[in-house]
Protein backbone atom coordinates (compact mmCIF):
# COMPACT_ATOMS: atom_id res chain seq x y z
CA UNK A 1 0.00 0.00 0.00
CA UNK A 2 1.11 3.56 -0.73
CA UNK A 3 2.81 5.24 2.24
CA UNK A 4 1.49 8.72 2.91
CA UNK A 5 3.66 11.17 4.85
CA UNK A 6 2.24 14.33 6.38
CA UNK A 7 3.82 17.24 8.24
CA UNK A 8 2.14 17.07 11.61
CA UNK A 9 1.96 20.51 13.21
CA UNK A 10 1.64 18.80 16.59
CA UNK A 11 5.13 17.27 16.36
CA UNK A 12 6.53 19.65 13.73
CA UNK A 13 7.77 16.63 11.80
CA UNK A 14 6.93 14.87 8.59
CA UNK A 15 5.48 11.55 9.76
CA UNK A 16 4.23 8.36 8.17
CA UNK A 17 0.44 8.50 8.21
CA UNK A 18 -1.05 5.49 9.96
CA UNK A 19 -4.83 5.64 10.32
CA UNK A 20 -6.52 4.36 13.46
CA UNK A 21 -8.77 2.21 11.27
CA UNK A 22 -7.91 1.90 7.56
CA UNK A 23 -11.53 0.87 6.96
CA UNK A 24 -12.68 4.26 8.28
CA UNK A 25 -10.12 7.03 7.82
CA UNK A 26 -11.45 10.18 9.46
CA UNK A 27 -10.74 13.79 8.52
CA UNK A 28 -12.14 16.99 10.06
CA UNK A 29 -11.65 20.43 8.54
CA UNK A 30 -12.89 23.65 10.16
CA UNK A 31 -15.44 25.13 7.82
CA UNK A 32 -16.66 28.64 7.14
CA UNK A 33 -18.66 31.05 9.26
CA UNK A 34 -21.60 31.60 6.96
CA UNK A 35 -22.29 35.33 6.85
CA UNK A 36 -20.76 36.22 3.48
CA UNK A 37 -19.26 34.87 0.24
CA UNK A 38 -16.03 32.87 0.56
CA UNK A 39 -13.01 34.95 -0.42
CA UNK A 40 -10.07 33.74 -2.46
CA UNK A 41 -8.12 32.84 0.70
CA UNK A 42 -11.00 30.72 2.03
CA UNK A 43 -10.89 28.64 -1.15
CA UNK A 44 -7.32 27.52 -0.50
CA UNK A 45 -7.97 25.10 2.41
CA UNK A 46 -11.03 23.81 0.56
CA UNK A 47 -8.97 22.85 -2.48
CA UNK A 48 -5.84 21.56 -0.74
CA UNK A 49 -7.80 19.40 1.71
CA UNK A 50 -9.98 18.23 -1.17
CA UNK A 51 -6.79 16.84 -2.72
CA UNK A 52 -6.03 15.15 0.61
CA UNK A 53 -9.55 13.67 0.60
CA UNK A 54 -9.03 12.42 -2.97
CA UNK A 55 -5.65 10.91 -2.10
CA UNK A 56 -7.06 9.13 0.98
CA UNK A 57 -9.95 7.80 -1.13
CA UNK A 58 -7.49 6.59 -3.73
CA UNK A 59 -5.31 4.80 -1.18
CA UNK A 60 -7.96 3.45 1.25
CA UNK A 61 -10.98 3.24 -1.05
CA UNK A 62 -13.72 5.88 -1.45
CA UNK A 63 -16.07 4.13 0.96
CA UNK A 64 -13.42 4.01 3.70
CA UNK A 65 -12.90 7.75 4.19
CA UNK A 66 -15.14 10.07 6.22
CA UNK A 67 -14.62 13.78 5.73
CA UNK A 68 -16.45 16.22 8.01
CA UNK A 69 -16.46 19.97 7.45
CA UNK A 70 -18.79 22.12 9.57
CA UNK A 71 -20.75 25.27 8.92
CA UNK A 72 -20.55 27.82 11.74
CA UNK A 73 -24.06 29.27 11.51
CA UNK A 74 -24.20 30.90 14.94
CA UNK A 75 -21.85 33.83 15.30
CA UNK A 76 -21.83 37.51 16.20
CA UNK A 77 -21.06 38.54 12.61
CA UNK A 78 -24.10 36.62 11.39
CA UNK A 79 -26.23 38.29 14.07
CA UNK A 80 -24.89 41.70 13.07
CA UNK A 81 -25.74 41.07 9.39
CA UNK A 82 -29.29 40.06 10.33
CA UNK A 83 -29.69 42.98 12.75
CA UNK A 84 -28.60 45.37 9.99
CA UNK A 85 -31.35 44.03 7.75
CA UNK A 86 -33.87 44.45 10.52
CA UNK A 87 -32.67 47.99 11.21
CA UNK A 88 -33.11 48.71 7.49
CA UNK A 89 -36.80 47.99 7.96
CA UNK A 90 -37.19 44.29 7.23
CA UNK A 91 -40.35 43.24 9.09
CA UNK A 92 -39.30 39.62 9.66
CA UNK A 93 -38.07 38.24 12.98
CA UNK A 94 -34.36 38.06 13.74
CA UNK A 95 -34.54 34.23 13.66
CA UNK A 96 -36.01 34.31 10.16
CA UNK A 97 -33.43 36.81 8.96
CA UNK A 98 -30.58 34.77 10.41
CA UNK A 99 -31.88 31.57 8.88
CA UNK A 100 -32.29 33.26 5.50
CA UNK A 101 -28.77 34.70 5.64
CA UNK A 102 -27.11 31.42 6.64
CA UNK A 103 -29.12 29.31 4.16
CA UNK A 104 -28.27 31.73 1.38
CA UNK A 105 -24.57 31.78 2.30
CA UNK A 106 -24.39 27.98 2.48
CA UNK A 107 -25.95 27.86 -1.00
CA UNK A 108 -23.32 30.28 -2.33
CA UNK A 109 -20.57 28.32 -0.64
CA UNK A 110 -21.68 25.10 -2.30
CA UNK A 111 -21.97 26.67 -5.74
CA UNK A 112 -18.60 28.39 -5.50
CA UNK A 113 -16.67 25.43 -4.04
CA UNK A 114 -18.31 23.09 -6.58
CA UNK A 115 -16.99 25.45 -9.26
CA UNK A 116 -13.48 24.94 -7.84
CA UNK A 117 -13.97 21.22 -8.36
CA UNK A 118 -14.07 20.33 -4.65
CA UNK A 119 -15.95 17.16 -3.70
CA UNK A 120 -18.63 17.68 -1.07
CA UNK A 121 -17.43 16.35 2.30
CA UNK A 122 -19.14 13.21 3.60
CA UNK A 123 -20.88 15.27 6.28
CA UNK A 124 -21.43 19.02 6.63
CA UNK A 125 -22.95 19.60 10.06
CA UNK A 126 -24.48 22.98 10.88
CA UNK A 127 -23.57 24.14 14.38
CA UNK A 128 -27.17 25.08 15.23
CA UNK A 129 -28.22 21.45 14.74
CA UNK A 130 -25.77 20.21 17.40
CA UNK A 131 -26.45 22.60 20.28
CA UNK A 132 -27.58 19.69 22.50
CA UNK A 133 -24.23 17.95 22.07
CA UNK A 134 -22.42 21.18 22.91
CA UNK A 135 -24.44 21.69 26.09
CA UNK A 136 -23.74 18.09 27.14
CA UNK A 137 -20.01 18.53 26.55
CA UNK A 138 -19.96 21.76 28.56
CA UNK A 139 -21.81 20.09 31.45
CA UNK A 140 -19.27 17.30 31.37
CA UNK A 141 -16.38 19.80 31.44
CA UNK A 142 -17.93 21.55 34.46
CA UNK A 143 -18.41 18.20 36.24
CA UNK A 144 -14.76 17.33 35.64
CA UNK A 145 -13.54 20.66 37.01
CA UNK A 146 -12.35 22.04 33.67
CA UNK A 147 -15.01 24.72 33.36
CA UNK A 148 -17.05 27.05 35.58
CA UNK A 149 -20.10 29.25 35.36
CA UNK A 150 -20.06 33.00 36.04
CA UNK A 151 -22.90 35.42 35.37
CA UNK A 152 -24.54 33.28 32.72
CA UNK A 153 -21.21 32.56 31.01
CA UNK A 154 -19.40 29.25 31.12
CA UNK A 155 -15.63 29.48 30.86
CA UNK A 156 -12.96 26.90 30.22
CA UNK A 157 -10.33 26.82 32.97
CA UNK A 158 -7.17 26.86 30.87
CA UNK A 159 -4.80 26.22 33.79
CA UNK A 160 -6.59 22.90 34.39
CA UNK A 161 -5.14 21.46 31.17
CA UNK A 162 -1.41 21.11 31.51
CA UNK A 163 -0.68 20.64 27.82
CA UNK A 164 -2.39 23.84 26.74
CA UNK A 165 -0.26 25.57 24.09
CA UNK A 166 1.53 22.43 22.88
CA UNK A 167 0.16 22.64 19.33
CA UNK A 168 1.33 26.17 18.69
CA UNK A 169 4.39 25.85 20.94
CA UNK A 170 3.42 28.63 23.35
CA UNK A 171 3.28 28.63 27.11
CA UNK A 172 0.29 30.06 28.91
CA UNK A 173 2.47 32.78 30.44
CA UNK A 174 3.82 33.82 26.99
CA UNK A 175 0.29 34.08 25.76
CA UNK A 176 -0.74 36.31 28.63
CA UNK A 177 2.35 38.45 28.09
CA UNK A 178 1.38 38.68 24.40
CA UNK A 179 -1.98 39.98 25.69
CA UNK A 180 -3.92 38.18 22.99
CA UNK A 181 -6.61 37.38 25.49
CA UNK A 182 -9.69 39.22 26.51
CA UNK A 183 -9.76 40.30 30.13
CA UNK A 184 -13.22 40.16 31.67
CA UNK A 185 -14.26 40.68 35.28
CA UNK A 186 -16.01 37.32 35.44
CA UNK A 187 -12.93 35.29 34.43
CA UNK A 188 -10.89 33.46 37.07
CA UNK A 189 -7.90 33.88 34.79
CA UNK A 190 -7.46 36.09 31.72
CA UNK A 191 -6.60 33.00 29.61
CA UNK A 192 -9.95 31.33 30.21
CA UNK A 193 -12.17 31.29 27.16
CA UNK A 194 -15.91 31.19 26.63
CA UNK A 195 -17.82 27.94 26.15
CA UNK A 196 -21.26 29.46 26.54
CA UNK A 197 -22.52 33.04 26.70
CA UNK A 198 -25.88 34.58 27.54
CA UNK A 199 -28.16 35.92 24.82
CA UNK A 200 -30.56 38.77 25.44
CA UNK A 201 -34.03 38.73 23.89
CA UNK A 202 -32.65 40.36 20.73
CA UNK A 203 -30.23 37.54 19.96
CA UNK A 204 -30.62 33.90 19.01
CA UNK A 205 -30.43 31.66 22.04
CA UNK A 206 -31.11 28.17 23.36
CA UNK A 207 -32.24 27.11 26.83
CA UNK A 208 -29.44 25.65 28.90
CA UNK A 209 -28.65 24.92 32.56
CA UNK A 210 -27.02 28.40 32.60
CA UNK A 211 -29.99 30.26 31.15
CA UNK A 212 -30.82 31.21 27.59
CA UNK A 213 -27.65 31.61 25.58
CA UNK A 214 -25.46 30.47 22.72
CA UNK A 215 -22.25 28.48 22.35
CA UNK A 216 -18.75 29.86 21.86
CA UNK A 217 -17.10 29.10 18.51
CA UNK A 218 -14.48 26.61 19.72
CA UNK A 219 -16.90 24.22 21.41
CA UNK A 220 -18.76 23.76 18.10
CA UNK A 221 -15.90 21.89 16.44
CA UNK A 222 -15.12 19.83 19.56
CA UNK A 223 -18.75 18.70 19.91
CA UNK A 224 -19.43 18.03 16.21
CA UNK A 225 -16.17 16.18 15.59
CA UNK A 226 -16.86 14.01 18.64
CA UNK A 227 -20.42 13.22 17.55
CA UNK A 228 -19.46 12.41 13.96
CA UNK A 229 -15.91 11.03 14.22
CA UNK A 230 -15.45 9.92 17.84
CA UNK A 231 -13.03 10.74 20.66
CA UNK A 232 -10.01 9.80 18.50
CA UNK A 233 -9.77 10.43 14.81
CA UNK A 234 -7.01 10.76 12.24
CA UNK A 235 -6.58 14.22 10.75
CA UNK A 236 -7.71 17.68 11.77
CA UNK A 237 -6.97 20.47 9.32
CA UNK A 238 -7.52 24.16 8.74
CA UNK A 239 -5.75 27.42 8.02
CA UNK A 240 -2.68 28.39 10.06
CA UNK A 241 -4.61 31.40 11.37
CA UNK A 242 -6.80 28.93 13.29
CA UNK A 243 -3.91 27.22 15.09
CA UNK A 244 -4.15 29.64 18.00
CA UNK A 245 -6.45 30.09 19.74
CA UNK A 246 -9.11 28.04 17.89
CA UNK A 247 -7.32 24.71 17.56
CA UNK A 248 -5.54 25.03 20.86
CA UNK A 249 -8.95 25.51 22.51
CA UNK A 250 -10.52 22.62 20.59
CA UNK A 251 -7.75 20.33 21.87
CA UNK A 252 -8.17 21.49 25.46
CA UNK A 253 -11.96 20.97 25.40
CA UNK A 254 -11.87 17.61 23.65
CA UNK A 255 -9.00 16.07 25.59
CA UNK A 256 -10.47 17.17 28.92
CA UNK A 257 -14.01 16.02 28.11
CA UNK A 258 -12.79 12.74 26.57
CA UNK A 259 -9.48 11.81 28.21
CA UNK A 260 -9.93 8.28 26.84
CA UNK A 261 -9.37 9.61 23.32
CA UNK A 262 -6.48 11.31 21.58
CA UNK A 263 -8.70 13.79 19.65
CA UNK A 264 -6.80 14.30 16.34
CA UNK A 265 -3.57 12.40 15.71
CA UNK A 266 -2.34 14.54 12.82
CA UNK A 267 -2.76 18.29 12.48
CA UNK A 268 -2.38 19.97 9.11
CA UNK A 269 -2.32 23.72 8.55
CA UNK A 270 -2.36 25.56 5.28
CA UNK A 271 -0.47 28.84 5.00
CA UNK A 272 -2.16 32.02 3.90
CA UNK A 273 -2.89 33.38 0.46
CA UNK A 274 -1.84 36.82 -0.69
CA UNK A 275 -2.72 38.73 -3.86
CA UNK A 276 0.08 40.13 -6.05
CA UNK A 277 2.43 40.11 -3.06
CA UNK A 278 0.09 41.86 -0.64
CA UNK A 279 -2.28 40.77 2.08
CA UNK A 280 -5.74 40.73 0.60
CA UNK A 281 -7.75 43.62 2.02
CA UNK A 282 -10.71 45.71 1.08
CA UNK A 283 -8.79 48.95 1.63
CA UNK A 284 -6.06 47.92 -0.85
CA UNK A 285 -8.69 47.08 -3.45
CA UNK A 286 -7.27 43.58 -3.89
CA UNK A 287 -9.97 41.71 -2.02
CA UNK A 288 -11.73 39.13 -4.17
CA UNK A 289 -14.35 36.55 -3.48
CA UNK A 290 -14.17 33.31 -5.41
CA UNK A 291 -17.41 34.42 -7.08
CA UNK A 292 -15.80 37.71 -8.22
CA UNK A 293 -13.12 35.78 -10.08
CA UNK A 294 -15.55 33.26 -11.55
CA UNK A 295 -17.71 36.15 -12.78
CA UNK A 296 -14.67 37.85 -14.28
CA UNK A 297 -14.21 34.76 -16.45
CA UNK A 298 -11.54 32.82 -14.56
CA UNK A 299 -12.66 29.20 -14.85
CA UNK A 300 -12.85 27.41 -11.48
CA UNK A 301 -10.40 24.86 -12.78
CA UNK A 302 -7.84 27.59 -13.47
CA UNK A 303 -8.23 28.99 -9.94
CA UNK A 304 -7.76 25.45 -8.61
CA UNK A 305 -4.57 24.94 -10.62
CA UNK A 306 -3.11 28.19 -9.28
CA UNK A 307 -3.80 27.05 -5.68
CA UNK A 308 -2.13 23.72 -6.34
CA UNK A 309 0.99 25.33 -7.80
CA UNK A 310 2.20 26.14 -4.27
CA UNK A 311 2.70 23.60 -1.48
CA UNK A 312 -0.02 24.07 1.15
CA UNK A 313 2.57 24.68 3.88
CA UNK A 314 3.99 27.74 2.13
CA UNK A 315 2.43 31.17 1.78
CA UNK A 316 1.01 31.52 -1.72
CA UNK A 317 0.65 34.45 -3.99
CA UNK A 318 -2.27 34.79 -6.37
CA UNK A 319 -1.15 36.59 -9.54
CA UNK A 320 -2.86 37.18 -12.84
CA UNK A 321 0.22 35.87 -14.54
CA UNK A 322 -0.14 32.48 -12.83
CA UNK A 323 -3.80 32.35 -13.81
CA UNK A 324 -2.96 33.07 -17.44
CA UNK A 325 -0.32 30.34 -17.51
CA UNK A 326 -2.63 27.85 -15.82
CA UNK A 327 -5.32 28.57 -18.39
CA UNK A 328 -2.97 28.06 -21.30
CA UNK A 329 -1.74 24.80 -19.88
CA UNK A 330 -5.20 23.47 -19.07
CA UNK A 331 -6.41 24.41 -22.53
CA UNK A 332 -3.73 22.15 -24.07
CA UNK A 333 -4.30 19.38 -21.56
CA UNK A 334 -8.02 19.35 -22.24
CA UNK A 335 -7.46 19.34 -25.99
CA UNK A 336 -5.25 16.25 -25.96
CA UNK A 337 -6.80 14.27 -23.10
CA UNK A 338 -9.74 13.59 -25.48
CA UNK A 339 -12.98 11.90 -24.51
CA UNK A 340 -11.41 8.85 -22.89
CA UNK A 341 -12.35 7.11 -19.61
CA UNK A 342 -9.93 8.07 -16.84
CA UNK A 343 -7.34 5.36 -16.19
CA UNK A 344 -5.18 4.51 -13.18
CA UNK A 345 -3.07 7.50 -12.07
CA UNK A 346 0.68 7.35 -12.68
CA UNK A 347 2.70 6.33 -9.59
CA UNK A 348 4.88 9.45 -9.85
CA UNK A 349 1.81 11.60 -9.26
CA UNK A 350 0.54 9.43 -6.40
CA UNK A 351 4.01 9.51 -4.84
CA UNK A 352 4.27 13.29 -5.10
CA UNK A 353 0.93 13.73 -3.35
CA UNK A 354 1.82 11.08 -0.77
CA UNK A 355 4.88 13.11 0.11
CA UNK A 356 3.11 15.64 2.33
CA UNK A 357 0.61 16.57 -0.38
CA UNK A 358 3.26 17.99 -2.69
CA UNK A 359 0.87 19.35 -5.30
CA UNK A 360 3.61 21.48 -6.82
CA UNK A 361 5.67 18.36 -7.55
CA UNK A 362 2.57 16.49 -8.76
CA UNK A 363 1.99 19.23 -11.36
CA UNK A 364 5.62 18.95 -12.45
CA UNK A 365 5.11 15.19 -12.93
CA UNK A 366 1.93 15.85 -14.91
CA UNK A 367 3.88 18.14 -17.23
CA UNK A 368 6.45 15.40 -17.85
CA UNK A 369 3.69 12.87 -18.53
CA UNK A 370 1.97 15.31 -20.88
CA UNK A 371 5.21 15.90 -22.80
CA UNK A 372 5.53 12.12 -23.26
CA UNK A 373 1.95 12.02 -24.52
CA UNK A 374 2.77 14.73 -27.08
CA UNK A 375 5.86 12.80 -28.22
CA UNK A 376 3.68 9.74 -28.72
CA UNK A 377 1.24 11.84 -30.73
CA UNK A 378 3.99 13.11 -33.04
CA UNK A 379 5.33 9.55 -33.53
CA UNK A 380 1.86 8.27 -34.35
CA UNK A 381 1.21 11.13 -36.75
CA UNK A 382 4.33 10.12 -38.64
CA UNK A 383 3.31 6.46 -38.65
CA UNK A 384 -0.34 6.74 -39.48
CA UNK A 385 -1.09 10.30 -40.56
CA UNK A 386 -2.51 13.42 -39.02
CA UNK A 387 -6.02 12.09 -38.57
CA UNK A 388 -5.63 8.62 -37.12
CA UNK A 389 -3.37 9.13 -34.09
CA UNK A 390 -6.32 10.12 -31.93
CA UNK A 391 -8.14 6.84 -32.45
CA UNK A 392 -5.12 4.61 -31.84
CA UNK A 393 -5.43 2.39 -28.75
CA UNK A 394 -1.91 3.18 -27.59
CA UNK A 395 -2.67 6.92 -27.67
CA UNK A 396 -6.01 6.45 -25.98
CA UNK A 397 -4.63 4.36 -23.13
CA UNK A 398 -1.79 6.84 -22.52
CA UNK A 399 -4.32 9.71 -22.56
CA UNK A 400 -6.52 7.76 -20.12
CA UNK A 401 -3.69 7.47 -17.61
CA UNK A 402 -2.82 11.14 -18.01
CA UNK A 403 -6.47 12.00 -17.38
CA UNK A 404 -6.63 9.69 -14.33
CA UNK A 405 -3.52 11.39 -12.95
CA UNK A 406 -5.06 14.86 -13.44
CA UNK A 407 -8.27 13.72 -11.74
CA UNK A 408 -6.36 12.77 -8.58
CA UNK A 409 -5.73 16.51 -8.25
CA UNK A 410 -9.33 17.28 -9.20
CA UNK A 411 -8.26 18.68 -12.57
CA UNK A 412 -9.88 17.89 -15.94
CA UNK A 413 -13.06 16.72 -14.23
CA UNK A 414 -16.13 16.07 -16.31
CA UNK A 415 -18.46 19.03 -16.18
CA UNK A 416 -15.66 21.52 -15.52
CA UNK A 417 -14.54 21.91 -19.11
CA UNK A 418 -17.34 24.17 -20.29
CA UNK A 419 -14.91 27.08 -20.58
CA UNK A 420 -12.66 25.06 -22.84
CA UNK A 421 -15.58 23.94 -25.06
CA UNK A 422 -16.46 27.60 -25.52
CA UNK A 423 -12.81 28.37 -26.24
CA UNK A 424 -12.73 25.56 -28.79
CA UNK A 425 -15.70 27.12 -30.58
CA UNK A 426 -14.03 30.52 -30.47
CA UNK A 427 -10.78 29.02 -31.79
CA UNK A 428 -12.63 27.39 -34.65
CA UNK A 429 -14.25 30.70 -35.50
CA UNK A 430 -10.87 32.47 -35.50
CA UNK A 431 -9.28 29.78 -37.70
CA UNK A 432 -12.17 30.03 -40.15
CA UNK A 433 -11.88 33.85 -40.30
CA UNK A 434 -8.15 33.60 -40.93
CA UNK A 435 -8.83 31.21 -43.84
CA UNK A 436 -11.38 33.67 -45.16
CA UNK A 437 -8.85 36.48 -44.89
CA UNK A 438 -6.24 34.46 -46.79
CA UNK A 439 -8.77 33.65 -49.54
CA UNK A 440 -9.83 37.32 -49.79
CA UNK A 441 -6.20 38.39 -50.12
CA UNK A 442 -5.62 35.81 -52.82
CA UNK A 443 -8.67 37.14 -54.69
CA UNK A 444 -7.32 40.68 -54.14
CA UNK A 445 -10.48 41.57 -52.18
CA UNK A 446 -8.58 43.80 -49.76
CA UNK A 447 -11.70 45.43 -48.40
CA UNK A 448 -12.80 42.05 -47.04
CA UNK A 449 -9.39 40.97 -45.80
CA UNK A 450 -8.89 44.29 -43.98
CA UNK A 451 -12.36 44.05 -42.46
CA UNK A 452 -11.56 40.62 -41.04
CA UNK A 453 -8.20 41.83 -39.71
CA UNK A 454 -9.76 44.87 -38.04
CA UNK A 455 -12.56 42.76 -36.62
CA UNK A 456 -10.07 40.36 -35.04
CA UNK A 457 -8.07 43.23 -33.53
CA UNK A 458 -11.25 44.75 -32.12
CA UNK A 459 -12.20 41.38 -30.61
CA UNK A 460 -8.83 41.23 -28.86
CA UNK A 461 -7.33 38.41 -30.95
CA UNK A 462 -3.59 38.84 -31.42
CA UNK A 463 -2.59 37.71 -34.93
CA UNK A 464 1.01 37.34 -36.07
CA UNK A 465 1.78 36.61 -39.74
CA UNK A 466 4.71 34.21 -40.07
CA UNK A 467 6.26 32.47 -43.09
CA UNK A 468 4.36 29.33 -41.97
CA UNK A 469 1.05 31.19 -41.98
CA UNK A 470 -0.91 33.17 -39.42
CA UNK A 471 -0.45 32.44 -35.71
CA UNK A 472 -2.80 33.82 -33.14
CA UNK A 473 -3.68 33.87 -29.45
CA UNK A 474 -6.44 35.21 -27.23
CA UNK A 475 -5.43 38.69 -26.00
CA UNK A 476 -6.12 39.74 -22.41
CA UNK A 477 -9.02 41.91 -23.66
CA UNK A 478 -10.56 39.13 -25.77
CA UNK A 479 -14.27 39.72 -26.42
CA UNK A 480 -16.24 36.76 -27.77
CA UNK A 481 -19.32 38.83 -28.68
CA UNK A 482 -17.22 40.96 -31.03
CA UNK A 483 -15.61 37.88 -32.55
CA UNK A 484 -18.99 36.45 -33.51
CA UNK A 485 -20.23 39.72 -34.99
CA UNK A 486 -17.40 40.00 -37.56
P1 LIG B 1 -13.21 31.83 8.29
O1 LIG B 1 -14.58 31.73 7.64
O2 LIG B 1 -12.65 33.21 8.31
O3 LIG B 1 -13.16 31.15 9.64
O4 LIG B 1 -12.18 31.03 7.35
C1 LIG B 1 -12.46 29.78 6.75
C2 LIG B 1 -11.17 29.12 6.38
O5 LIG B 1 -10.39 29.92 5.47
C3 LIG B 1 -10.24 28.84 7.56
O6 LIG B 1 -9.69 27.53 7.41
C4 LIG B 1 -9.16 29.89 7.43
O7 LIG B 1 -7.95 29.45 7.99
C5 LIG B 1 -9.04 30.02 5.93
N1 LIG B 1 -8.47 31.31 5.50
C6 LIG B 1 -8.89 32.55 5.83
N2 LIG B 1 -8.14 33.49 5.23
C7 LIG B 1 -7.22 32.85 4.47
C8 LIG B 1 -6.15 33.27 3.59
N3 LIG B 1 -5.89 34.54 3.33
N4 LIG B 1 -5.43 32.29 2.98
C9 LIG B 1 -5.68 30.99 3.20
N5 LIG B 1 -6.66 30.53 4.01
C10 LIG B 1 -7.42 31.44 4.64
ZN1 LIG C 1 -12.66 24.25 14.23
Amino acid sequence: MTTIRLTNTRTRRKEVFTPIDPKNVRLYVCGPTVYDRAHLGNGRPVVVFDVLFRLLRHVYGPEHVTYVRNFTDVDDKINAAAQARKAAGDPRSLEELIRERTDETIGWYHTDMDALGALRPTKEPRATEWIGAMIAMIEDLIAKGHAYEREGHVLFRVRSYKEYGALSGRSVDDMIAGARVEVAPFKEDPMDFVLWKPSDAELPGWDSPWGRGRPGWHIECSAMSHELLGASFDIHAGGIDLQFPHHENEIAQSRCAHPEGSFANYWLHNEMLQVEGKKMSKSLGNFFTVRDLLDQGYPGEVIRMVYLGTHYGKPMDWTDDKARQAKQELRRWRKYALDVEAGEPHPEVVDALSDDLNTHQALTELRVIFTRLMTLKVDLEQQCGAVHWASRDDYRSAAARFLGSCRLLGLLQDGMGHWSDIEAQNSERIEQLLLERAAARKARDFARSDAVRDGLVAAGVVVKDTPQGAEWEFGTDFDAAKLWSI
Side-chain angles (χ1 to χ4, degrees):
M1 183 176 282
T2 309
T3 302
I4 297 176
R5 289 186 172 76
L6 298 171
T7 297
N8 190 350
T9 318
R10 202 165 59 82
T11 58
R12 289 167 193 75
R13 282 204 312 266
K14 203 192 277 190
E15 294 174 357
V16 170
F17 173 65
T18 313
I20 299 164
D21 174 7
K23 292 267 173 270
N24 183 19
V25 181
R26 284 158 286 166
L27 165 68
Y28 186 93
V29 177
C30 297
T33 304
V34 284
Y35 65 98
D36 215 343
R37 288 257 184 205
H39 63 59
L40 195 55
N42 300 142
R44 188 179 191 198
V46 173
V47 169
V48 300
F49 300 125
D50 177 64
V51 174
L52 175 62
F53 184 37
R54 287 170 188 273
L55 175 69
L56 294 171
R57 286 160 61 97
H58 175 74
V59 173
Y60 296 97
E63 65 282 13
H64 298 307
V65 185
T66 304
Y67 173 16
V68 177
R69 186 182 62 211
N70 68 295
F71 284 117
T72 294
D73 61 349
V74 46
D75 178 86
D76 290 344
K77 288 194 209 101
I78 301 173
N79 298 340
Q83 275 167 329
R85 278 195 194 176
K86 199 154 173 59
D90 200 307
R92 287 171 294 172
S93 74
L94 197 67
E95 261 74 25
E96 284 170 325
L97 289 169
I98 286 173
R99 187 73 195 189
E100 180 190 72
R101 180 77 184 181
T102 54
D103 283 353
E104 184 178 39
T105 312
I106 288 173
W108 291 335
Y109 192 79
H110 277 147
T111 318
D112 297 349
M113 299 307 121
D114 289 354
L116 298 179
L119 296 169
R120 296 274 176 97
T122 324
K123 290 181 180 148
E124 296 181 285
R126 288 176 75 136
T128 50
E129 284 163 10
W130 296 92
I131 302 285
M134 295 174 207
I135 292 175
M137 193 168 196
I138 297 170
E139 286 185 297
D140 190 22
L141 285 168
I142 295 175
K144 289 181 170 134
H146 293 294
Y148 56 95
E149 184 200 354
R150 290 282 185 287
E151 302 171 27
H153 293 71
V154 182
L155 291 130
F156 186 89
R157 187 176 277 129
V158 168
R159 301 257 180 202
S160 76
Y161 179 56
K162 292 285 163 281
E163 289 169 50
Y164 191 84
L167 179 73
S168 50
R170 302 159 200 246
S171 75
V172 171
D173 294 321
D174 288 348
M175 288 185 252
I176 293 176
R180 295 189 56 174
V181 291
E182 187 195 348
V183 183
F186 48 79
K187 286 186 181 179
E188 273 179 11
D189 186 302
M191 277 310 292
D192 295 350
F193 59 87
V194 168
L195 299 174
W196 188 264
K197 53 192 162 191
S199 291
D200 58 30
E202 290 299 295
L203 287 172
W206 290 263
D207 289 330
S208 80
W210 321 289
R212 186 172 170 277
R214 60 196 195 281
W217 170 37
H218 317 297
I219 196 75
E220 296 178 11
C221 288
S222 282
M224 291 186 283
S225 63
H226 181 260
E227 293 302 307
L228 298 170
L229 298 175
S232 309
F233 58 92
D234 299 301
I235 306 173
H236 192 312
I240 189 76
D241 56 326
L242 301 184
Q243 190 186 33
F244 176 81
H246 182 56
H247 290 162
E248 211 67 84
N249 293 354
E250 280 189 40
I251 293 173
Q253 296 161 159
S254 295
R255 297 275 289 122
C256 290
H258 305 289
E260 74 282 9
S262 57
F263 194 35
N265 289 344
Y266 301 83
W267 283 83
L268 259 61
H269 289 100
N270 67 277
E271 260 292 348
M272 296 289 103
L273 170 140
Q274 296 195 319
V275 173
E276 307 280 354
K278 298 197 182 70
K279 189 178 152 93
M280 193 166 53
S281 86
K282 287 190 175 142
S283 59
L284 287 176
N286 65 350
F287 180 92
F288 303 108
T289 63
V290 170
R291 177 47 50 188
D292 290 336
L293 288 179
L294 293 168
D295 287 348
Q296 284 168 30
Y298 293 88
E301 183 168 52
V302 167
I303 302 173
R304 183 179 184 96
M305 178 112 153
V306 175
Y307 285 135
L308 298 181
T310 305
H311 185 262
Y312 75 89
K314 293 190 179 136
M316 80 157 275
D317 198 21
W318 169 273
T319 67
D320 242 8
D321 217 35
K322 285 183 185 172
R324 228 181 4 259
Q325 281 172 26
K327 192 170 187 184
Q328 248 170 30
E329 198 157 33
L330 284 167
R331 187 187 294 138
R332 272 174 68 72
W333 287 6
R334 281 206 169 264
K335 182 166 172 188
Y336 293 106
L338 306 181
D339 55 339
V340 291
E341 286 273 313
E344 267 299 294
H346 282 274
E348 304 93 286
V349 175
V350 179
D351 289 351
L353 294 182
S354 303
D355 180 15
D356 196 24
L357 225 55
N358 195 338
T359 52
H360 175 84
Q361 184 60 31
L363 288 173
T364 304
E365 300 294 350
L366 284 177
R367 291 184 185 111
V368 173
I369 296 164
F370 184 72
T371 306
R372 285 207 304 264
L373 187 66
M374 289 303 93
T375 309
L376 175 64
K377 171 182 169 283
V378 171
D379 288 352
L380 292 175
E381 266 176 334
Q382 278 166 4
Q383 278 174 36
C384 61
V387 187
H388 297 295
W389 60 270
S391 52
R392 287 269 305 242
D393 283 349
D394 37 2
Y395 185 84
R396 295 183 74 79
S397 70
R401 296 206 61 194
F402 173 68
L403 183 62
S405 306
C406 290
R407 293 264 170 95
L408 196 55
L409 280 85
L411 295 169
L412 267 61
Q413 294 182 59
D414 276 343
M416 283 188 78
H418 186 58
W419 67 277
S420 104
D421 296 341
I422 292 172
E423 283 206 349
Q425 287 167 16
N426 290 338
S427 306
E428 225 169 275
R429 169 85 178 152
I430 294 167
E431 302 279 355
Q432 176 219 330
L433 285 165
L434 287 171
L435 288 175
E436 245 180 83
R437 187 189 65 157
R441 274 187 183 166
K442 218 168 159 188
R444 310 193 68 75
D445 179 357
F446 295 115
R448 177 63 191 153
S449 71
D450 287 356
V452 172
R453 183 199 56 203
D454 294 347
L456 287 170
V457 170
V461 180
V462 183
V463 181
K464 253 197 337 212
D465 285 305
T466 74
Q468 288 78 41
E471 280 178 6
W472 64 271
E473 59 183 352
F474 294 109
T476 43
D477 54 349
F478 172 71
D479 184 336
K482 288 189 181 150
L483 175 70
W484 289 89
S485 65
I486 296 172

